[in-house]
Amino acid sequence: MNQALEWQPRVCEASWWQTRQSRESLVERLLGMFTAPAASLTRDKTRRRGLGKLLDWLEGQPGETWQDRWMASGADDAGFDWTDLPLQGRGTPKSHWRDELATGLVLLVAGQAIRPSYPWLLRQRVTVMLTETRAASDPDAFHRLEQLAQHATATARSDALNKLTWIVIRKGGLVSDITVGDCIELTAALEEHHFRGSAGRPLFYALLKETGVLPASAPLRLRALRIEGRRSVEQIVDAYGIECQAVRDLLVEYFTERSPELDHVSLRSIARNLCRLFWRDLEIHHPGIDSLRLEPEVAQAWKDRLAYIRDAQGHPVRPRVNFRSELVFVRAFYQDIARWAADDPARWAPWVAPCPIKANECATKKSRSGVKSRMDQRTRTQLPLLPALLRAVDQQRKDAEARITAARATPAGGRFLVAGEEFERCGSGQARRVYVTEVADGRRRNLTHEEEAAFWSWATVEVLRHTGIRIEEMLELTHHSFIAYALPTTGEVVPMLQVAPSKTDAERLLLVSPELAEVLTAVIFRVRSGNAALPLVSAYDVFEQTWSPPMPFLFQRRYGTEDRPLTRSYIRECLVATSQSAQITAAGDPLEWRPHDFRRIFVTDAIRSGLPPHIAAKICGHAALDTTMGYAAIYPEDVISHHRAFIARRRTERPSEEYRELTVTEWDEFLAHFELRKVALGTCGRDYATPCQHENACVRCPLLLVDPAQMPRLQEIHANLIDRLQEAKDQGWLGEVAAIETTMAAAAQKLEAMRERATQPSTVHLGMPDIRRDTGRSSADVERSFPPDPKLRG
């Protein structure tokens, strides 16, 4: 469920004691709070005149309270131009009249006589109004918060105090009365009015959380309230506006049944397919539809619409690339219901219907083969260029560090030279970022951002190429991921890296090489930034749409006034910038590196280097060996060389006497075996060096390969067996009768085999083909058509 839905803002009061005061009491209170007793200052005189004129105008508006009159006057909706309303009908206004009205309004707002809406407040930019409100409403609390925010820049500190003041003005009360819902409401108002990116500045929320104003159950970070969280199955389905209630309930039950086996993003992706692309589309084009049993023309029309991405008017824009994949989800929907109906017919059987999608319509073998071919080619292209990328990212990191170090040592307006480039140092801003201007072209550059991007690009490339882990697994590495493992044989302590469960929900351990340990040490040193421990931050899981508990993540950076874990999008942006700066090309085209490329390169290089595939599968966390082999882009020559190496290893493991030279006796014995295989009825098919198992009873032997030319002989033997059988029966030789009957059955089978072989067509020798004059042109014809060149003779 979205966390923002759990917190509701305070309801704005319709009436409170300040707004119900009479004019005399209100004037006396406000002048006593915001003016000097003698009233000799020009500012105070202006405030007195402005307050009187403003109250004169408000008294002419309908309402029981000053708040009612303010809202009825239309001034709140007028925004920045609200002063035009009191001056209507008074001729040409003098310049100081608006200033007097504005100063009078400052007293009403700071004195809580009226509470304007957020849209009005955000349009004013009246600093004195916020300052007077803090001094009059809760000065001790605001002073304490200001002292607590001394570590932040002046801009961030002022922004936080202004936000808290806006909440106090709008909701009333003290700072200690602010709720999480009030913070969410103000952030939404800031986003709606695009207030210079202020909605993303979280210091005001952090101050409230740190001082205990917000409850312990409130999230640690404001971003946890701004980012959409998990939604229930009902909320997901209802977002698509399905009209048929029965089908809506069916889809809710279906996704509830499947939710335990899917992550939240996959669940919402399938819901988008079934609810919007499938059923909602059918409802739009076939109003009143309420059954999954679709007529053939209805199903075909839906497939035609799905095959193209369409604009708002329904016109085709371009073919849908994943058209077949979308059909798979609908086909699985029908098949799941049919399968579940066998176990729970009361629940699912009423919805069983023929699937409108055939198996061949959603076959993706060809497309998957194409993807595999493109990925293999990409890996084969990138693997030889990996050393060039490593040199590029390392050089970019060193150059960026050299530039920012030289810039920090240069005063504002001074110039410095790094790697042949001349820069001019800009003045230091309140955000403590280092800006310079290129002297050559006047381009302004943020060296702080460049240095951060260069470092994290280098760290990403090094970690991914050494481990082969996924990008989400890399971003989930923490300081606790390092494990000291003692070898059971020698007792040597080996550093290991624990990779948290990700795609396959199975954690694994990886050996930390010296090169990887150096990179991780640099990351820890940077993140710790001189502190005793790494900052604890919460990371957002984009797949499950949940927040992790505070953990010392390795991949994190300082963002404004808080520490944040790096995101997938930031890593991709860094790699894109690195790819553009490295200028590595393949076939003349610039090569762009992506995080998953290093996983494919890791698997391919490991298997090419002789690592057994099943070990590579364990290292990469693959549940099936086929997945690992799908990552490996093995060259054909690699297959040949590895096969030869395998045969060589097998030969070294076999007994050496098996590879000695044959003796004459052994060779004669080998030839004699094949000479003894010729018998009267055909050829014996027993293996070399194996004795005859049937005591030369060839008629009954299954290894006899009969010769059709010996059919008369076998027929004669079969006739003789009939006579012998009759004699044995007459003499009562029962054992002989059984033996003769077995031989006769085997002889009958071999006769049948001979007849079958005799009926098979024989091979006809066609001779060697030649060129005939009636079917082609002879050499003489060729010479007549194309006479030889005399210059070429001799």
Side-chain angles (χ1 to χ4, degrees):
M1 182 178 179
N2 191 342
Q3 286 185 319
L5 300 178
E6 301 176 9
W7 311 96
Q8 297 298 327
R10 288 179 290 168
V11 179
C12 295
E13 297 178 309
S15 177
W16 56 96
W17 72 269
Q18 293 98 328
T19 194
R20 292 194 299 266
Q21 280 188 301
S22 64
R23 176 167 179 164
E24 293 75 13
S25 300
L26 179 63
V27 170
E28 181 181 359
R29 181 174 67 86
L30 295 181
L31 294 180
M33 293 173 58
F34 301 108
T35 62
S40 58
L41 297 177
T42 303
R43 185 199 64 173
D44 293 345
K45 293 180 179 179
T46 302
R47 288 187 172 185
R48 288 175 179 272
R49 289 196 301 269
L51 180 61
K53 292 179 180 179
L54 186 59
L55 293 179
D56 290 341
W57 173 65
L58 288 177
E59 283 185 324
Q61 307 299 324
E64 298 295 330
T65 63
W66 298 109
Q67 177 71 10
D68 294 340
R69 299 176 185 125
W70 167 261
M71 299 303 296
S73 67
D76 196 85
D77 296 330
F80 188 78
D81 299 326
W82 71 272
T83 54
D84 293 340
L85 300 178
L87 297 176
Q88 287 179 356
R90 300 186 61 179
T92 303
K94 297 181 180 181
S95 59
H96 65 276
W97 289 358
R98 296 183 186 275
D99 296 336
E100 290 176 350
L101 290 174
T103 56
L105 185 62
V106 167
L107 304 187
L108 289 179
V109 172
Q112 285 289 304
I114 61 173
R115 295 175 181 174
S117 64
Y118 282 133
W120 188 91
L121 288 171
L122 299 181
R123 291 189 181 101
Q124 300 310 305
R125 314 284 198 273
V126 181
T127 304
V128 66
M129 178 186 297
L130 302 177
T131 303
E132 295 290 1
T133 301
R134 289 194 286 270
S137 298
D138 198 352
D140 294 337
F142 279 108
H143 179 72
R144 184 169 61 254
L145 292 174
E146 185 176 7
Q147 294 299 318
L148 191 63
Q150 287 299 318
H151 66 282
T153 63
T155 301
R157 185 165 59 250
S158 175
D159 177 82
L161 294 177
N162 288 345
K163 288 178 180 177
L164 297 174
T165 309
W166 282 326
I167 296 176
V168 170
I169 290 175
R170 178 61 183 150
K171 298 295 184 178
L174 304 175
V175 173
S176 58
D177 298 325
I178 297 177
T179 66
V180 176
D182 295 340
C183 299
I184 297 175
E185 185 181 31
L186 174 63
T187 302
L190 290 169
E191 290 178 342
E192 181 179 356
H193 292 275
H194 309 288
F195 186 51
R196 294 178 298 177
S198 179
R201 297 172 186 161
L203 182 58
F204 83 103
Y205 183 89
L207 293 175
L208 295 176
K209 183 67 177 176
E210 187 174 353
T211 54
V213 173
L214 302 181
S217 58
L220 293 177
R221 297 288 184 267
L222 178 64
R223 295 180 66 242
L225 299 172
R226 299 181 62 208
I227 297 179
E228 183 180 14
R230 295 177 68 97
R231 305 179 67 186
S232 64
V233 174
E234 291 80 2
Q235 291 174 329
I236 294 173
V237 175
D238 291 340
Y240 296 101
I242 295 178
E243 297 177 354
C244 181
Q245 185 65 30
V247 175
R248 177 264 179 195
D249 296 340
L250 169 67
L251 290 170
V252 169
E253 291 188 52
Y254 176 76
F255 292 126
T256 302
E257 190 76 17
R258 291 204 58 187
S259 58
E261 63 186 23
L262 299 172
D263 59 62
H264 197 68
V265 170
S266 299
L267 180 65
R268 296 185 66 169
S269 176
I270 298 176
R272 164 191 166 274
N273 183 284
L274 295 181
C275 296
R276 184 168 73 86
L277 298 181
F278 175 58
W279 188 255
R280 184 58 189 148
D281 181 83
L282 290 174
E283 286 187 336
I284 293 174
H285 294 86
H286 305 278
I289 187 171
D290 59 356
S291 173
L292 298 182
R293 188 178 298 272
L294 305 181
E295 297 297 331
E297 58 274 12
V298 174
Q300 187 58 45
W302 167 72
K303 296 175 190 176
D304 294 340
R305 293 191 299 270
L306 183 66
Y308 290 89
I309 301 292
R310 300 175 182 272
D311 57 17
Q313 290 72 33
H315 301 136
V317 177
R318 63 181 184 275
R320 190 182 297 272
V321 177
N322 57 341
F323 169 64
R324 292 182 179 271
S325 300
E326 304 289 0
L327 294 178
V328 170
F329 293 114
V330 180
R331 179 175 172 82
F333 173 59
Y334 276 83
Q335 291 179 336
D336 288 341
I337 291 178
R339 186 173 65 254
W340 297 344
D343 298 331
D344 192 356
R347 183 181 180 187
W348 304 106
W351 293 101
V352 174
C355 181
I357 303 171
K358 298 179 181 179
N360 59 354
E361 291 182 292
C362 53
T364 58
K365 181 179 180 181
K366 184 176 181 180
S367 61
R368 284 188 281 108
S369 299
V371 172
K372 175 69 168 67
S373 177
R374 291 193 298 272
M375 291 299 100
D376 286 352
Q377 183 59 37
R378 180 179 178 86
T379 303
R380 293 166 184 161
T381 302
Q382 291 177 325
L383 187 56
L385 300 175
L386 182 60
L389 176 67
L390 299 180
R391 291 191 298 269
V393 295
D394 186 58
Q395 189 61 41
Q396 289 174 15
R397 177 178 66 94
K398 293 178 180 178
D399 291 346
E401 185 177 351
R403 282 193 297 267
I404 196 170
T405 301
R408 286 170 176 165
T410 303
R415 295 188 177 186
F416 60 95
L417 189 68
V418 175
E421 294 180 304
E422 188 176 7
F423 303 94
E424 181 178 338
R425 174 69 188 274
C426 299
S428 299
Q430 295 180 348
R432 300 190 183 96
R433 292 187 171 271
V434 179
Y435 290 91
V436 298
T437 301
E438 291 185 10
V439 177
D441 56 7
R443 184 166 63 97
R444 182 181 174 91
R445 293 171 60 174
N446 184 348
L447 296 187
T448 304
H449 174 75
E450 291 182 5
E451 193 274 336
E452 285 185 348
F455 176 85
W456 290 117
S457 294
W458 169 79
T460 298
V461 171
E462 291 291 340
V463 171
L464 292 182
R465 82 175 183 94
H466 281 298
T467 61
I469 60 179
R470 305 176 182 92
I471 180 175
E472 57 267 22
E473 294 172 336
M474 181 191 72
L475 297 179
E476 291 174 358
L477 293 177
T478 68
H479 206 177
H480 303 309
S481 299
F482 293 99
I483 297 177
Y485 175 73
L487 296 177
T489 54
T490 63
E492 180 184 359
V493 177
V494 178
M496 304 290 288
L497 189 66
Q498 183 182 21
V499 180
S502 178
K503 189 174 181 180
T504 57
D505 289 334
E507 63 181 5
R508 58 192 189 277
L509 294 176
L510 302 178
L511 181 65
V512 177
S513 63
E515 296 83 1
L516 179 60
E518 182 179 355
V519 175
L520 295 178
T521 301
V523 171
I524 294 174
F525 180 79
R526 181 186 184 87
V527 174
R528 195 172 57 183
S529 205
N531 298 319
L534 272 68
L536 301 180
V537 295
S538 297
Y540 181 71
D541 190 337
V542 296
F543 297 103
E544 295 295 340
Q545 294 186 332
T546 56
W547 288 86
S548 71
M551 300 179 68
F553 288 104
L554 296 183
F555 283 77
Q556 60 170 289
R557 66 186 180 116
R558 189 72 177 176
Y559 188 88
T561 59
E562 66 178 3
D563 297 296
R564 291 186 183 180
L566 300 188
T567 61
R568 298 155 59 96
S569 60
Y570 179 78
I571 294 296
R572 290 192 180 96
E573 291 175 2
C574 292
L575 290 182
V576 168
T578 297
S579 301
Q580 295 174 352
S581 301
Q583 296 181 350
I584 300 175
T585 60
D589 298 326
L591 191 61
E592 181 178 320
W593 299 78
R594 302 166 188 165
H596 214 66
D597 292 334
F598 301 98
R599 184 169 173 84
R600 298 188 184 93
I601 292 174
F602 176 86
V603 175
T604 301
D605 186 57
I607 295 180
R608 286 183 59 191
S609 301
L611 185 70
H614 67 282
I615 301 298
K618 289 293 184 182
I619 293 176
C620 295
H622 290 153
L625 187 61
D626 291 341
T627 306
T628 306
M629 298 309 297
Y631 274 76
I634 303 299
Y635 297 85
E637 55 266 26
D638 293 335
V639 177
I640 296 173
S641 61
H642 280 287
H643 185 256
R644 288 178 175 175
F646 168 75
I647 294 176
R649 289 194 302 270
R650 289 292 301 270
R651 285 177 176 174
T652 58
E653 296 173 358
R654 295 179 68 87
S656 59
E657 59 270 13
E658 295 186 5
Y659 298 98
R660 60 180 173 80
E661 295 292 333
L662 294 176
T663 63
V664 177
T665 303
E666 290 173 337
W667 181 249
D668 292 341
E669 180 183 353
F670 179 75
L671 296 178
H673 164 77
F674 293 98
E675 295 174 356
L676 295 175
R677 291 176 63 176
K678 185 63 178 177
V679 294
L681 297 178
T683 305
C684 180
R686 74 178 187 273
D687 295 335
Y688 169 73
T690 57
C692 179
Q693 299 294 329
H694 300 90
E695 299 179 355
N696 300 315
C698 298
V699 175
R700 291 187 292 178
C701 182
L703 298 179
L704 176 64
L705 304 178
V706 294
D707 184 4
Q710 302 298 325
M711 185 180 298
R713 179 183 296 276
L714 187 56
Q715 291 175 343
E716 181 180 351
I717 294 175
H718 188 270
N720 186 27
L721 289 174
I722 295 175
D723 297 338
R724 289 178 57 192
L725 178 62
Q726 186 60 41
E727 181 184 3
K729 289 181 179 180
D730 294 342
Q731 297 298 329
W733 301 333
L734 300 182
E736 188 72 13
V737 169
I740 293 174
E741 288 179 346
T742 302
T743 305
M744 288 179 61
Q749 293 178 355
K750 289 180 171 52
L751 283 173
E752 183 65 25
M754 286 182 175
R755 294 188 186 99
E756 291 180 359
R757 293 188 62 181
T759 58
Q760 294 178 355
S762 58
T763 305
V764 178
H765 181 67
L766 300 178
M768 292 297 294
D770 59 353
I771 301 177
R772 300 182 181 180
R773 298 182 61 84
D774 55 349
T775 60
R777 186 179 291 171
S778 65
S779 60
D781 297 330
V782 175
E783 291 181 0
R784 285 194 296 269
S785 301
F786 303 96
D789 190 347
K791 297 180 180 180
L792 300 178
R793 293 181 179 177

